[in-house]
Amino acid sequence: MIKAKIHSIQNHDNINWVEFFAQKHKLYMLALELDEKASINQEVVLAFKSSECLLSKINLANTFLNTLHAKIIDIFQGQIITVIRLESEICTFETQISTFEFLEQAYQKNDFVFAYIHPSALFIKEYVC
């Protein structure tokens, strides 16, 4: 989970583009519905499904994806799915990838990777009072 503050909200035809600041990082959320509590400077807790995170050893330099540079701190390898726990500057989180991808990319504990989260995968889990 990521603690962040809402920086801006754009709305058109009930589609919302929300920009957040989490420490020095900008994050973006694309949402069809937005709670009426959402407002500029509102503090929130953001989350995403662990299966909706793409890993790469190289920086894809795509400004439309949320990018976290993170260190692999633990690996739980299964026959089909591997769960990788990562630690970034702003949060600790897990991602699920296929074990085939895990073996193909040869990820190891203490490797640094780029984690990419599509804006439509990010959601507001909680509003901080």
Side-chain angles (χ1 to χ4, degrees):
M1 292 186 281
I2 304 166
K3 283 192 165 192
K5 188 180 277 192
I6 297 174
H7 177 70
S8 68
I9 301 171
Q10 295 179 29
N11 178 290
H12 182 73
D13 291 337
N14 292 324
I15 300 173
N16 301 279
W17 181 257
V18 184
E19 182 179 326
F20 302 91
F21 282 134
Q23 295 177 23
K24 301 179 285 185
H25 298 273
K26 278 187 186 181
L27 299 169
Y28 303 96
M29 180 180 77
L30 182 63
L32 295 177
E33 294 182 16
L34 197 58
D35 192 295
E36 62 188 34
K37 291 188 251 181
S39 60
I40 306 300
N41 293 321
Q42 172 68 51
E43 291 187 15
V44 296
V45 175
L46 302 172
F48 57 92
K49 288 174 44 176
S50 61
S51 59
E52 305 239 0
C53 183
L54 171 73
L55 296 183
S56 176
K57 289 184 178 181
I58 59 171
N59 188 351
L60 302 177
N62 185 331
T63 58
F64 293 102
L65 292 174
N66 297 306
T67 305
L68 299 174
H69 191 241
K71 179 180 180 180
I72 296 175
I73 58 172
D74 222 341
I75 297 170
F76 307 97
Q77 183 181 348
Q79 288 188 342
I80 305 293
I81 298 292
T82 294
V83 176
I84 299 176
R85 184 169 294 141
L86 300 125
E87 184 176 62
S88 76
E89 189 176 43
I90 60 173
C91 66
T92 299
F93 61 100
E94 291 182 350
T95 184
Q96 295 178 17
I97 61 173
S98 72
T99 298
F100 176 80
E101 177 188 354
F102 168 73
L103 295 172
E104 184 78 17
Q105 296 298 315
Y107 293 124
Q108 297 179 14
K109 197 171 178 180
N110 296 319
D111 281 354
F112 281 90
V113 296
F114 293 92
Y116 298 97
I117 306 156
H118 194 276
S120 63
L122 200 63
F123 62 91
I124 297 172
K125 182 176 177 115
E126 179 182 331
Y127 288 87
V128 179
C129 296

